[in-house]
Amino acid sequence: MNPILNQIGTVFIPVRDIEKAMKWYRDILNLPEDQEILFGHLHILPMNGTGIVLDSKIYAEENTFKTPAFHFNTSNIQEAYTYMLSKNVKITSTIEHEKWFNFEDPDGNMLMVCQC
């Protein structure tokens, strides 16, 4: 039996300001406010499935995601696109192939929403 599981536990996102990032992500994901910051630089977002940890200790511009390392799921790509526009999120692509679009967080991390 292999001791390494074929599961992704958590994705770490480098962020400049942990408090601002925590509020931004919780807002776009419609998560309740939570001010818990661990060790002065980590915030765990309560996700369904693979976790997301915001980490200000690993932040450097060269560490930000230049291409999406993962995507957020949606059941309606057009509604997701309109929602992100209403949140004044920096959208970096149109809806491609009627399935996905890219956007940036305030720290320049490239992220994606995909209808799967």
Side-chain angles (χ1 to χ4, degrees):
M1 182 171 169
N2 190 336
I4 308 298
L5 303 176
N6 64 343
Q7 299 172 350
I8 296 174
T10 298
V11 175
F12 284 78
I13 300 178
V15 298
R16 186 181 345 246
D17 181 318
I18 193 66
E19 290 184 17
K20 284 183 181 178
M22 175 178 64
K23 289 176 184 172
W24 187 84
Y25 277 90
R26 284 185 168 273
D27 180 48
I28 67 159
L29 295 172
N30 196 30
L31 298 171
E33 286 200 24
D34 180 349
Q35 302 302 316
E36 185 174 21
I37 297 172
L38 303 172
F39 313 110
H41 65 97
L42 299 171
H43 181 70
I44 301 168
L45 295 172
M47 304 294 293
N48 294 320
T50 301
I52 293 179
V53 175
L54 307 176
D55 189 349
S56 62
K57 189 173 184 177
I58 64 171
Y59 179 81
E61 188 173 335
E62 61 271 13
N63 292 345
T64 60
F65 299 150
K66 305 301 184 223
T67 59
F70 64 93
H71 70 260
F72 293 100
N73 291 335
T74 185
S75 58
N76 187 314
I77 197 65
Q78 187 59 56
E79 284 182 16
Y81 191 84
T82 301
Y83 173 78
M84 295 298 264
L85 286 173
S86 77
K87 293 288 188 179
N88 295 316
V89 171
K90 182 179 179 183
I91 306 227
T92 59
S93 74
T94 59
I95 297 174
E96 302 289 333
H97 306 285
E98 300 177 13
K99 291 291 182 189
W100 60 271
F101 65 90
N102 290 338
F103 66 97
E104 285 185 4
D105 76 1
D107 295 305
N109 288 293
M110 183 72 62
L111 302 166
M112 178 186 283
V113 174
C114 185
Q115 180 177 317
C116 299

